[in-house]
Amino acid sequence: ANTASLVIEVAVDSLFFNNIAKLRALRFLLESLQEKCQIPNFEIMTRNSLREQTLYDPWMNMLRNTTSASAAFLGGADIISIDSYDHIASYYGNSQESDLGMRQAKNVFHVLNEESYLSSVQDCSQGSYAIESLTTEYIDLSFKHFRLLEKKGGIFANLDSFSEDVKQISAERLTKVANLKSTLAGINNFANTDDDLEDLFKTKLKLELKDELFPLRRNAFAFEQIRNTFTTKSFKPVVLTYGDESKLSARIMFCVNYFEVLGHKVEVKHISGVTKDITASIIILCAADADYAELVSKLPKANTPMFIAGNKYHQEGMTNIYLGQNMLSVLGGLSELF
């Protein structure tokens, strides 16, 4: 029988080792409180974090949910709830999760529990230097933050400032995704251009950030909004390569992934001589840095927006795209032109 009178619900994401350490630290803190303050018996319940869920390429959510559920098992959660891969759509107006999604979620739990035996060993990460170190760090930071809040009257007396802290952390996470320092598969990299939200979820979703103290802030949300603006537009991005293509493969892939975020296939064309006629909505120049001046000289004058892959060669009227750049700003500005 369940004798716990206190259930602590925690979101877990696919940062595997961090979440194992987070759950271990939480249990230590709760047991300390139980010993010193006589709090009631407790159980830790985990749910998949909605922050990293995506509407486009939703099948990637299966992998995220499986990884986070594995962390929950190894971190010592008492109750583990696994959402379907299309659960996030219900937040934006979808009536129900699919039967396939619900079945897959249940199967993930059964495979991890009954075939992988992840629940058979209590605190199996004990003695692991990396996880023990992370756990200690989380405990120390949590105590420090807890004492700070207590001095200010407790968390409920500081909900507004706490909300601002959460908002700031969310903005920092989004910046990493926008700068391609963190990959959100299917969103800021390796986008599936065949995906259409209405086809996927059989209804029109209403993408909006709710006016709440703690609204759901997903890393994919801003990308999905921009992509939706291009859904009904005739948009043809073309990458023009020049020079030895065997030495440009990484740069070409970067260009393709960068603009397929908008949900349209990117065509790659190689040119060797003067180009007179290029049919494209935008043109992305892709060459070795030393070859750009020669490439630009072979292009006719046109009103088509042009981009240059890399940040060493600059040309008036053209926009450079490169790693570390905020791609949301670039793509958001592009959406205003079409």
Side-chain angles (χ1 to χ4, degrees), residues 48 50 52-65 82-90 97-106 108 200-201:
N48 302 119
L50 297 182
E52 64 177 6
Q53 303 291 290
T54 65
L55 293 171
Y56 286 106
D57 209 352
W59 301 277
M60 287 299 301
N61 294 331
M62 291 186 187
L63 299 179
R64 299 181 183 109
N65 292 347
I82 303 174
D83 292 322
S84 67
Y85 67 85
D86 54 358
H87 171 77
I88 189 63
S90 62
E97 301 162 46
S98 65
D99 292 338
L100 175 62
M102 294 297 294
R103 179 183 177 186
Q104 179 271 338
K106 293 176 182 177
V108 166
L200 285 170
F201 302 110

PDB file of all heavy atoms in Angstrom, residues 48 50 52-65 82-90 97-106 108 200-201:
ATOM      1  N   ASN A  48       8.204  13.653 -18.024  1.00  0.00           N
ATOM      2  CA  ASN A  48       9.061  14.189 -19.087  1.00  0.00           C
ATOM      3  C   ASN A  48       8.936  15.706 -19.149  1.00  0.00           C
ATOM      4  O   ASN A  48       7.840  16.243 -19.085  1.00  0.00           O
ATOM      5  CB  ASN A  48       8.661  13.603 -20.444  1.00  0.00           C
ATOM      6  CG  ASN A  48       8.727  12.091 -20.473  1.00  0.00           C
ATOM      7  OD1 ASN A  48       7.735  11.424 -20.693  1.00  0.00           O
ATOM      8  ND2 ASN A  48       9.906  11.551 -20.228  1.00  0.00           N
ATOM      9  N   LEU A  50       8.452  19.138 -20.657  1.00  0.00           N
ATOM     10  CA  LEU A  50       7.810  19.631 -21.877  1.00  0.00           C
ATOM     11  C   LEU A  50       8.678  20.691 -22.562  1.00  0.00           C
ATOM     12  O   LEU A  50       8.446  21.033 -23.708  1.00  0.00           O
ATOM     13  CB  LEU A  50       6.438  20.219 -21.552  1.00  0.00           C
ATOM     14  CG  LEU A  50       5.401  19.247 -20.972  1.00  0.00           C
ATOM     15  CD1 LEU A  50       4.077  19.967 -20.755  1.00  0.00           C
ATOM     16  CD2 LEU A  50       5.206  18.044 -21.881  1.00  0.00           C
ATOM     17  N   GLU A  52      11.639  20.580 -23.744  1.00  0.00           N
ATOM     18  CA  GLU A  52      12.418  20.135 -24.895  1.00  0.00           C
ATOM     19  C   GLU A  52      11.571  19.391 -25.936  1.00  0.00           C
ATOM     20  O   GLU A  52      12.103  18.897 -26.923  1.00  0.00           O
ATOM     21  CB  GLU A  52      13.563  19.235 -24.430  1.00  0.00           C
ATOM     22  CG  GLU A  52      13.110  17.942 -23.790  1.00  0.00           C
ATOM     23  CD  GLU A  52      14.270  17.038 -23.399  1.00  0.00           C
ATOM     24  OE1 GLU A  52      15.430  17.470 -23.524  1.00  0.00           O
ATOM     25  OE2 GLU A  52      14.005  15.901 -22.972  1.00  0.00           O
ATOM     26  N   GLN A  53      10.263  19.333 -25.720  1.00  0.00           N
ATOM     27  CA  GLN A  53       9.388  18.661 -26.678  1.00  0.00           C
ATOM     28  C   GLN A  53       9.180  19.529 -27.917  1.00  0.00           C
ATOM     29  O   GLN A  53       9.192  20.753 -27.857  1.00  0.00           O
ATOM     30  CB  GLN A  53       8.038  18.344 -26.041  1.00  0.00           C
ATOM     31  CG  GLN A  53       8.128  17.482 -24.783  1.00  0.00           C
ATOM     32  CD  GLN A  53       8.572  16.062 -25.080  1.00  0.00           C
ATOM     33  OE1 GLN A  53       7.841  15.284 -25.674  1.00  0.00           O
ATOM     34  NE2 GLN A  53       9.776  15.721 -24.658  1.00  0.00           N
ATOM     35  N   THR A  54       8.993  18.877 -29.052  1.00  0.00           N
ATOM     36  CA  THR A  54       8.817  19.599 -30.314  1.00  0.00           C
ATOM     37  C   THR A  54       7.550  19.154 -31.022  1.00  0.00           C
ATOM     38  O   THR A  54       7.119  18.002 -30.898  1.00  0.00           O
ATOM     39  CB  THR A  54      10.018  19.363 -31.251  1.00  0.00           C
ATOM     40  OG1 THR A  54      10.071  17.975 -31.619  1.00  0.00           O
ATOM     41  CG2 THR A  54      11.322  19.756 -30.569  1.00  0.00           C
ATOM     42  N   LEU A  55       6.958  20.077 -31.778  1.00  0.00           N
ATOM     43  CA  LEU A  55       5.796  19.745 -32.599  1.00  0.00           C
ATOM     44  C   LEU A  55       6.247  19.199 -33.949  1.00  0.00           C
ATOM     45  O   LEU A  55       5.700  18.206 -34.442  1.00  0.00           O
ATOM     46  CB  LEU A  55       4.927  20.988 -32.792  1.00  0.00           C
ATOM     47  CG  LEU A  55       4.236  21.515 -31.538  1.00  0.00           C
ATOM     48  CD1 LEU A  55       3.574  22.866 -31.803  1.00  0.00           C
ATOM     49  CD2 LEU A  55       3.190  20.521 -31.027  1.00  0.00           C
ATOM     50  N   TYR A  56       7.222  19.841 -34.553  1.00  0.00           N
ATOM     51  CA  TYR A  56       7.805  19.306 -35.785  1.00  0.00           C
ATOM     52  C   TYR A  56       8.718  18.137 -35.443  1.00  0.00           C
ATOM     53  O   TYR A  56       9.372  18.134 -34.399  1.00  0.00           O
ATOM     54  CB  TYR A  56       8.593  20.396 -36.524  1.00  0.00           C
ATOM     55  CG  TYR A  56       7.710  21.414 -37.195  1.00  0.00           C
ATOM     56  CD1 TYR A  56       7.569  22.688 -36.661  1.00  0.00           C
ATOM     57  CD2 TYR A  56       7.009  21.108 -38.358  1.00  0.00           C
ATOM     58  CE1 TYR A  56       6.751  23.634 -37.273  1.00  0.00           C
ATOM     59  CE2 TYR A  56       6.184  22.042 -38.971  1.00  0.00           C
ATOM     60  CZ  TYR A  56       6.067  23.303 -38.429  1.00  0.00           C
ATOM     61  OH  TYR A  56       5.249  24.232 -39.029  1.00  0.00           O
ATOM     62  N   ASP A  57       8.737  17.148 -36.327  1.00  0.00           N
ATOM     63  CA  ASP A  57       9.522  15.930 -36.093  1.00  0.00           C
ATOM     64  C   ASP A  57       9.238  15.368 -34.695  1.00  0.00           C
ATOM     65  O   ASP A  57      10.153  15.118 -33.903  1.00  0.00           O
ATOM     66  CB  ASP A  57      11.015  16.230 -36.236  1.00  0.00           C
ATOM     67  CG  ASP A  57      11.796  14.995 -36.703  1.00  0.00           C
ATOM     68  OD1 ASP A  57      11.192  13.908 -36.762  1.00  0.00           O
ATOM     69  OD2 ASP A  57      12.998  15.122 -36.980  1.00  0.00           O
ATOM     70  N   PRO A  58       7.951  15.156 -34.375  1.00  0.00           N
ATOM     71  CA  PRO A  58       7.584  14.763 -33.002  1.00  0.00           C
ATOM     72  C   PRO A  58       8.126  13.397 -32.597  1.00  0.00           C
ATOM     73  O   PRO A  58       8.222  13.106 -31.406  1.00  0.00           O
ATOM     74  CB  PRO A  58       6.057  14.766 -33.033  1.00  0.00           C
ATOM     75  CG  PRO A  58       5.712  14.490 -34.458  1.00  0.00           C
ATOM     76  CD  PRO A  58       6.769  15.199 -35.257  1.00  0.00           C
ATOM     77  N   TRP A  59       8.517  12.564 -33.593  1.00  0.00           N
ATOM     78  CA  TRP A  59       9.018  11.237 -33.248  1.00  0.00           C
ATOM     79  C   TRP A  59      10.353  11.325 -32.505  1.00  0.00           C
ATOM     80  O   TRP A  59      10.727  10.401 -31.799  1.00  0.00           O
ATOM     81  CB  TRP A  59       9.158  10.405 -34.523  1.00  0.00           C
ATOM     82  CG  TRP A  59       7.841  10.283 -35.223  1.00  0.00           C
ATOM     83  CD1 TRP A  59       6.839   9.386 -34.950  1.00  0.00           C
ATOM     84  CD2 TRP A  59       7.340  11.127 -36.264  1.00  0.00           C
ATOM     85  NE1 TRP A  59       5.765   9.614 -35.766  1.00  0.00           N
ATOM     86  CE2 TRP A  59       6.042  10.677 -36.602  1.00  0.00           C
ATOM     87  CE3 TRP A  59       7.874  12.194 -36.967  1.00  0.00           C
ATOM     88  CZ2 TRP A  59       5.265  11.270 -37.581  1.00  0.00           C
ATOM     89  CZ3 TRP A  59       7.109  12.800 -37.957  1.00  0.00           C
ATOM     90  CH2 TRP A  59       5.818  12.333 -38.248  1.00  0.00           C
ATOM     91  N   MET A  60      11.048  12.461 -32.645  1.00  0.00           N
ATOM     92  CA  MET A  60      12.263  12.647 -31.854  1.00  0.00           C
ATOM     93  C   MET A  60      11.939  12.704 -30.364  1.00  0.00           C
ATOM     94  O   MET A  60      12.799  12.425 -29.522  1.00  0.00           O
ATOM     95  CB  MET A  60      12.974  13.938 -32.272  1.00  0.00           C
ATOM     96  CG  MET A  60      13.677  13.872 -33.617  1.00  0.00           C
ATOM     97  SD  MET A  60      14.970  12.615 -33.658  1.00  0.00           S
ATOM     98  CE  MET A  60      16.038  13.164 -32.333  1.00  0.00           C
ATOM     99  N   ASN A  61      10.687  13.053 -30.039  1.00  0.00           N
ATOM    100  CA  ASN A  61      10.281  13.083 -28.628  1.00  0.00           C
ATOM    101  C   ASN A  61      10.337  11.694 -27.997  1.00  0.00           C
ATOM    102  O   ASN A  61      10.490  11.569 -26.778  1.00  0.00           O
ATOM    103  CB  ASN A  61       8.871  13.659 -28.488  1.00  0.00           C
ATOM    104  CG  ASN A  61       8.806  15.123 -28.891  1.00  0.00           C
ATOM    105  OD1 ASN A  61       9.779  15.861 -28.766  1.00  0.00           O
ATOM    106  ND2 ASN A  61       7.657  15.553 -29.402  1.00  0.00           N
ATOM    107  N   MET A  62      10.193  10.653 -28.839  1.00  0.00           N
ATOM    108  CA  MET A  62      10.323   9.293 -28.312  1.00  0.00           C
ATOM    109  C   MET A  62      11.710   9.091 -27.707  1.00  0.00           C
ATOM    110  O   MET A  62      11.853   8.524 -26.610  1.00  0.00           O
ATOM    111  CB  MET A  62      10.112   8.269 -29.432  1.00  0.00           C
ATOM    112  CG  MET A  62       8.706   8.166 -29.976  1.00  0.00           C
ATOM    113  SD  MET A  62       8.632   6.783 -31.145  1.00  0.00           S
ATOM    114  CE  MET A  62       6.968   6.986 -31.791  1.00  0.00           C
ATOM    115  N   LEU A  63      12.739   9.547 -28.420  1.00  0.00           N
ATOM    116  CA  LEU A  63      14.104   9.389 -27.928  1.00  0.00           C
ATOM    117  C   LEU A  63      14.331  10.231 -26.682  1.00  0.00           C
ATOM    118  O   LEU A  63      14.954   9.777 -25.711  1.00  0.00           O
ATOM    119  CB  LEU A  63      15.102   9.797 -29.026  1.00  0.00           C
ATOM    120  CG  LEU A  63      15.046   8.994 -30.322  1.00  0.00           C
ATOM    121  CD1 LEU A  63      16.066   9.529 -31.321  1.00  0.00           C
ATOM    122  CD2 LEU A  63      15.306   7.523 -30.055  1.00  0.00           C
ATOM    123  N   ARG A  64      13.821  11.462 -26.694  1.00  0.00           N
ATOM    124  CA  ARG A  64      13.982  12.340 -25.524  1.00  0.00           C
ATOM    125  C   ARG A  64      13.281  11.733 -24.306  1.00  0.00           C
ATOM    126  O   ARG A  64      13.821  11.736 -23.197  1.00  0.00           O
ATOM    127  CB  ARG A  64      13.411  13.726 -25.836  1.00  0.00           C
ATOM    128  CG  ARG A  64      14.115  14.424 -26.997  1.00  0.00           C
ATOM    129  CD  ARG A  64      13.542  15.813 -27.256  1.00  0.00           C
ATOM    130  NE  ARG A  64      14.189  16.416 -28.426  1.00  0.00           N
ATOM    131  CZ  ARG A  64      13.608  16.617 -29.595  1.00  0.00           C
ATOM    132  NH1 ARG A  64      12.335  16.290 -29.778  1.00  0.00           N
ATOM    133  NH2 ARG A  64      14.277  17.154 -30.601  1.00  0.00           N
ATOM    134  N   ASN A  65      12.079  11.218 -24.518  1.00  0.00           N
ATOM    135  CA  ASN A  65      11.318  10.643 -23.406  1.00  0.00           C
ATOM    136  C   ASN A  65      11.970   9.375 -22.868  1.00  0.00           C
ATOM    137  O   ASN A  65      11.960   9.125 -21.653  1.00  0.00           O
ATOM    138  CB  ASN A  65       9.885  10.336 -23.847  1.00  0.00           C
ATOM    139  CG  ASN A  65       9.086  11.595 -24.118  1.00  0.00           C
ATOM    140  OD1 ASN A  65       9.502  12.687 -23.752  1.00  0.00           O
ATOM    141  ND2 ASN A  65       7.938  11.444 -24.761  1.00  0.00           N
ATOM    142  N   ILE A  82       5.454   8.630 -18.146  1.00  0.00           N
ATOM    143  CA  ILE A  82       6.051   8.871 -19.466  1.00  0.00           C
ATOM    144  C   ILE A  82       4.957   9.327 -20.414  1.00  0.00           C
ATOM    145  O   ILE A  82       3.938   8.649 -20.590  1.00  0.00           O
ATOM    146  CB  ILE A  82       6.733   7.604 -20.001  1.00  0.00           C
ATOM    147  CG1 ILE A  82       7.795   7.123 -19.010  1.00  0.00           C
ATOM    148  CG2 ILE A  82       7.358   7.878 -21.361  1.00  0.00           C
ATOM    149  CD1 ILE A  82       8.425   5.804 -19.377  1.00  0.00           C
ATOM    150  N   ASP A  83       5.151  10.479 -21.025  1.00  0.00           N
ATOM    151  CA  ASP A  83       4.160  11.026 -21.953  1.00  0.00           C
ATOM    152  C   ASP A  83       4.339  10.433 -23.344  1.00  0.00           C
ATOM    153  O   ASP A  83       5.402   9.921 -23.704  1.00  0.00           O
ATOM    154  CB  ASP A  83       4.291  12.544 -22.044  1.00  0.00           C
ATOM    155  CG  ASP A  83       3.901  13.237 -20.751  1.00  0.00           C
ATOM    156  OD1 ASP A  83       2.938  12.783 -20.119  1.00  0.00           O
ATOM    157  OD2 ASP A  83       4.566  14.220 -20.376  1.00  0.00           O
ATOM    158  N   SER A  84       3.302  10.541 -24.160  1.00  0.00           N
ATOM    159  CA  SER A  84       3.389  10.128 -25.554  1.00  0.00           C
ATOM    160  C   SER A  84       4.203  11.149 -26.337  1.00  0.00           C
ATOM    161  O   SER A  84       4.365  12.300 -25.914  1.00  0.00           O
ATOM    162  CB  SER A  84       1.991  10.004 -26.164  1.00  0.00           C
ATOM    163  OG  SER A  84       1.386  11.285 -26.257  1.00  0.00           O
ATOM    164  N   TYR A  85       4.698  10.736 -27.487  1.00  0.00           N
ATOM    165  CA  TYR A  85       5.531  11.634 -28.293  1.00  0.00           C
ATOM    166  C   TYR A  85       4.757  12.838 -28.818  1.00  0.00           C
ATOM    167  O   TYR A  85       5.334  13.866 -29.165  1.00  0.00           O
ATOM    168  CB  TYR A  85       6.188  10.870 -29.452  1.00  0.00           C
ATOM    169  CG  TYR A  85       5.207  10.376 -30.505  1.00  0.00           C
ATOM    170  CD1 TYR A  85       4.782  11.195 -31.546  1.00  0.00           C
ATOM    171  CD2 TYR A  85       4.707   9.079 -30.455  1.00  0.00           C
ATOM    172  CE1 TYR A  85       3.888  10.749 -32.498  1.00  0.00           C
ATOM    173  CE2 TYR A  85       3.819   8.618 -31.412  1.00  0.00           C
ATOM    174  CZ  TYR A  85       3.418   9.454 -32.428  1.00  0.00           C
ATOM    175  OH  TYR A  85       2.525   9.006 -33.380  1.00  0.00           O
ATOM    176  N   ASP A  86       3.418  12.742 -28.883  1.00  0.00           N
ATOM    177  CA  ASP A  86       2.608  13.854 -29.391  1.00  0.00           C
ATOM    178  C   ASP A  86       1.819  14.544 -28.273  1.00  0.00           C
ATOM    179  O   ASP A  86       0.875  15.291 -28.538  1.00  0.00           O
ATOM    180  CB  ASP A  86       1.654  13.373 -30.493  1.00  0.00           C
ATOM    181  CG  ASP A  86       0.787  12.189 -30.056  1.00  0.00           C
ATOM    182  OD1 ASP A  86       0.939  11.716 -28.909  1.00  0.00           O
ATOM    183  OD2 ASP A  86      -0.025  11.723 -30.869  1.00  0.00           O
ATOM    184  N   HIS A  87       2.240  14.329 -27.049  1.00  0.00           N
ATOM    185  CA  HIS A  87       1.533  14.915 -25.908  1.00  0.00           C
ATOM    186  C   HIS A  87       1.530  16.445 -25.955  1.00  0.00           C
ATOM    187  O   HIS A  87       0.539  17.086 -25.592  1.00  0.00           O
ATOM    188  CB  HIS A  87       2.173  14.439 -24.601  1.00  0.00           C
ATOM    189  CG  HIS A  87       1.657  15.139 -23.381  1.00  0.00           C
ATOM    190  ND1 HIS A  87       0.439  14.841 -22.808  1.00  0.00           N
ATOM    191  CD2 HIS A  87       2.185  16.143 -22.623  1.00  0.00           C
ATOM    192  CE1 HIS A  87       0.238  15.613 -21.758  1.00  0.00           C
ATOM    193  NE2 HIS A  87       1.277  16.411 -21.617  1.00  0.00           N
ATOM    194  N   ILE A  88       2.624  17.041 -26.391  1.00  0.00           N
ATOM    195  CA  ILE A  88       2.758  18.497 -26.363  1.00  0.00           C
ATOM    196  C   ILE A  88       1.700  19.184 -27.221  1.00  0.00           C
ATOM    197  O   ILE A  88       1.297  20.321 -26.951  1.00  0.00           O
ATOM    198  CB  ILE A  88       4.180  18.922 -26.817  1.00  0.00           C
ATOM    199  CG1 ILE A  88       4.410  20.418 -26.582  1.00  0.00           C
ATOM    200  CG2 ILE A  88       4.441  18.565 -28.265  1.00  0.00           C
ATOM    201  CD1 ILE A  88       4.358  20.835 -25.148  1.00  0.00           C
ATOM    202  N   ALA A  89       1.191  18.493 -28.255  1.00  0.00           N
ATOM    203  CA  ALA A  89       0.194  19.103 -29.136  1.00  0.00           C
ATOM    204  C   ALA A  89      -1.098  19.414 -28.391  1.00  0.00           C
ATOM    205  O   ALA A  89      -1.814  20.366 -28.746  1.00  0.00           O
ATOM    206  CB  ALA A  89      -0.085  18.195 -30.325  1.00  0.00           C
ATOM    207  N   SER A  90      -1.405  18.639 -27.351  1.00  0.00           N
ATOM    208  CA  SER A  90      -2.633  18.885 -26.594  1.00  0.00           C
ATOM    209  C   SER A  90      -2.590  20.227 -25.872  1.00  0.00           C
ATOM    210  O   SER A  90      -3.619  20.822 -25.572  1.00  0.00           O
ATOM    211  CB  SER A  90      -2.862  17.752 -25.577  1.00  0.00           C
ATOM    212  OG  SER A  90      -1.803  17.701 -24.631  1.00  0.00           O
ATOM    213  N   GLU A  97      -4.162  12.591 -27.475  1.00  0.00           N
ATOM    214  CA  GLU A  97      -2.928  11.958 -27.924  1.00  0.00           C
ATOM    215  C   GLU A  97      -3.280  10.725 -28.760  1.00  0.00           C
ATOM    216  O   GLU A  97      -4.327  10.113 -28.575  1.00  0.00           O
ATOM    217  CB  GLU A  97      -2.083  11.578 -26.711  1.00  0.00           C
ATOM    218  CG  GLU A  97      -1.715  12.767 -25.847  1.00  0.00           C
ATOM    219  CD  GLU A  97      -1.277  12.372 -24.441  1.00  0.00           C
ATOM    220  OE1 GLU A  97      -0.472  11.434 -24.339  1.00  0.00           O
ATOM    221  OE2 GLU A  97      -1.755  12.991 -23.479  1.00  0.00           O
ATOM    222  N   SER A  98      -2.402  10.365 -29.671  1.00  0.00           N
ATOM    223  CA  SER A  98      -2.678   9.236 -30.554  1.00  0.00           C
ATOM    224  C   SER A  98      -2.550   7.911 -29.811  1.00  0.00           C
ATOM    225  O   SER A  98      -1.847   7.804 -28.795  1.00  0.00           O
ATOM    226  CB  SER A  98      -1.698   9.255 -31.734  1.00  0.00           C
ATOM    227  OG  SER A  98      -0.371   9.044 -31.272  1.00  0.00           O
ATOM    228  N   ASP A  99      -3.233   6.902 -30.326  1.00  0.00           N
ATOM    229  CA  ASP A  99      -3.137   5.557 -29.744  1.00  0.00           C
ATOM    230  C   ASP A  99      -1.702   5.045 -29.837  1.00  0.00           C
ATOM    231  O   ASP A  99      -1.206   4.401 -28.906  1.00  0.00           O
ATOM    232  CB  ASP A  99      -4.087   4.596 -30.471  1.00  0.00           C
ATOM    233  CG  ASP A  99      -5.551   4.929 -30.207  1.00  0.00           C
ATOM    234  OD1 ASP A  99      -5.828   5.593 -29.181  1.00  0.00           O
ATOM    235  OD2 ASP A  99      -6.408   4.533 -31.012  1.00  0.00           O
ATOM    236  N   LEU A 100      -1.038   5.341 -30.970  1.00  0.00           N
ATOM    237  CA  LEU A 100       0.350   4.910 -31.144  1.00  0.00           C
ATOM    238  C   LEU A 100       1.247   5.572 -30.100  1.00  0.00           C
ATOM    239  O   LEU A 100       2.116   4.915 -29.508  1.00  0.00           O
ATOM    240  CB  LEU A 100       0.842   5.266 -32.551  1.00  0.00           C
ATOM    241  CG  LEU A 100       2.324   4.986 -32.828  1.00  0.00           C
ATOM    242  CD1 LEU A 100       2.625   3.494 -32.707  1.00  0.00           C
ATOM    243  CD2 LEU A 100       2.716   5.497 -34.217  1.00  0.00           C
ATOM    244  N   GLY A 101       1.018   6.859 -29.852  1.00  0.00           N
ATOM    245  CA  GLY A 101       1.821   7.575 -28.871  1.00  0.00           C
ATOM    246  C   GLY A 101       1.640   7.016 -27.466  1.00  0.00           C
ATOM    247  O   GLY A 101       2.613   6.849 -26.720  1.00  0.00           O
ATOM    248  N   MET A 102       0.396   6.708 -27.096  1.00  0.00           N
ATOM    249  CA  MET A 102       0.122   6.163 -25.765  1.00  0.00           C
ATOM    250  C   MET A 102       0.730   4.765 -25.607  1.00  0.00           C
ATOM    251  O   MET A 102       1.300   4.435 -24.571  1.00  0.00           O
ATOM    252  CB  MET A 102      -1.389   6.107 -25.524  1.00  0.00           C
ATOM    253  CG  MET A 102      -2.051   7.473 -25.458  1.00  0.00           C
ATOM    254  SD  MET A 102      -1.441   8.471 -24.076  1.00  0.00           S
ATOM    255  CE  MET A 102      -2.044   7.511 -22.694  1.00  0.00           C
ATOM    256  N   ARG A 103       0.613   3.972 -26.679  1.00  0.00           N
ATOM    257  CA  ARG A 103       1.175   2.615 -26.616  1.00  0.00           C
ATOM    258  C   ARG A 103       2.697   2.678 -26.504  1.00  0.00           C
ATOM    259  O   ARG A 103       3.303   1.936 -25.719  1.00  0.00           O
ATOM    260  CB  ARG A 103       0.766   1.836 -27.870  1.00  0.00           C
ATOM    261  CG  ARG A 103       1.327   0.419 -27.897  1.00  0.00           C
ATOM    262  CD  ARG A 103       0.957  -0.297 -29.179  1.00  0.00           C
ATOM    263  NE  ARG A 103       1.555  -1.629 -29.212  1.00  0.00           N
ATOM    264  CZ  ARG A 103       1.505  -2.436 -30.261  1.00  0.00           C
ATOM    265  NH1 ARG A 103       0.871  -2.057 -31.362  1.00  0.00           N
ATOM    266  NH2 ARG A 103       2.062  -3.631 -30.231  1.00  0.00           N
ATOM    267  N   GLN A 104       3.300   3.559 -27.271  1.00  0.00           N
ATOM    268  CA  GLN A 104       4.754   3.688 -27.234  1.00  0.00           C
ATOM    269  C   GLN A 104       5.232   4.115 -25.855  1.00  0.00           C
ATOM    270  O   GLN A 104       6.238   3.610 -25.340  1.00  0.00           O
ATOM    271  CB  GLN A 104       5.208   4.691 -28.307  1.00  0.00           C
ATOM    272  CG  GLN A 104       6.699   4.938 -28.375  1.00  0.00           C
ATOM    273  CD  GLN A 104       7.154   6.057 -27.468  1.00  0.00           C
ATOM    274  OE1 GLN A 104       6.362   6.923 -27.091  1.00  0.00           O
ATOM    275  NE2 GLN A 104       8.418   6.038 -27.101  1.00  0.00           N
ATOM    276  N   ALA A 105       4.510   5.049 -25.226  1.00  0.00           N
ATOM    277  CA  ALA A 105       4.895   5.522 -23.894  1.00  0.00           C
ATOM    278  C   ALA A 105       4.858   4.385 -22.867  1.00  0.00           C
ATOM    279  O   ALA A 105       5.758   4.251 -22.035  1.00  0.00           O
ATOM    280  CB  ALA A 105       3.977   6.654 -23.463  1.00  0.00           C
ATOM    281  N   LYS A 106       3.810   3.564 -22.937  1.00  0.00           N
ATOM    282  CA  LYS A 106       3.708   2.433 -22.016  1.00  0.00           C
ATOM    283  C   LYS A 106       4.817   1.412 -22.270  1.00  0.00           C
ATOM    284  O   LYS A 106       5.400   0.856 -21.333  1.00  0.00           O
ATOM    285  CB  LYS A 106       2.341   1.755 -22.165  1.00  0.00           C
ATOM    286  CG  LYS A 106       1.165   2.613 -21.705  1.00  0.00           C
ATOM    287  CD  LYS A 106      -0.162   1.916 -21.974  1.00  0.00           C
ATOM    288  CE  LYS A 106      -1.332   2.789 -21.561  1.00  0.00           C
ATOM    289  NZ  LYS A 106      -2.634   2.153 -21.875  1.00  0.00           N
ATOM    290  N   VAL A 108       7.803   1.959 -23.472  1.00  0.00           N
ATOM    291  CA  VAL A 108       9.084   2.475 -22.979  1.00  0.00           C
ATOM    292  C   VAL A 108       9.259   2.096 -21.516  1.00  0.00           C
ATOM    293  O   VAL A 108      10.314   1.604 -21.094  1.00  0.00           O
ATOM    294  CB  VAL A 108       9.180   4.007 -23.153  1.00  0.00           C
ATOM    295  CG1 VAL A 108      10.349   4.579 -22.345  1.00  0.00           C
ATOM    296  CG2 VAL A 108       9.364   4.366 -24.617  1.00  0.00           C
ATOM    297  N   LEU A 200       0.126  16.303 -39.309  1.00  0.00           N
ATOM    298  CA  LEU A 200       0.608  15.492 -38.195  1.00  0.00           C
ATOM    299  C   LEU A 200      -0.447  15.305 -37.114  1.00  0.00           C
ATOM    300  O   LEU A 200      -0.616  14.211 -36.571  1.00  0.00           O
ATOM    301  CB  LEU A 200       1.854  16.136 -37.573  1.00  0.00           C
ATOM    302  CG  LEU A 200       3.166  16.017 -38.354  1.00  0.00           C
ATOM    303  CD1 LEU A 200       4.228  16.914 -37.729  1.00  0.00           C
ATOM    304  CD2 LEU A 200       3.643  14.569 -38.368  1.00  0.00           C
ATOM    305  N   PHE A 201      -1.173  16.381 -36.807  1.00  0.00           N
ATOM    306  CA  PHE A 201      -2.076  16.350 -35.653  1.00  0.00           C
ATOM    307  C   PHE A 201      -3.554  16.473 -36.029  1.00  0.00           C
ATOM    308  O   PHE A 201      -4.408  16.518 -35.146  1.00  0.00           O
ATOM    309  CB  PHE A 201      -1.690  17.464 -34.674  1.00  0.00           C
ATOM    310  CG  PHE A 201      -0.266  17.345 -34.199  1.00  0.00           C
ATOM    311  CD1 PHE A 201       0.694  18.263 -34.607  1.00  0.00           C
ATOM    312  CD2 PHE A 201       0.119  16.315 -33.374  1.00  0.00           C
ATOM    313  CE1 PHE A 201       2.010  18.156 -34.181  1.00  0.00           C
ATOM    314  CE2 PHE A 201       1.428  16.192 -32.939  1.00  0.00           C
ATOM    315  CZ  PHE A 201       2.379  17.111 -33.350  1.00  0.00           C
TER     316      PHE A 201
END
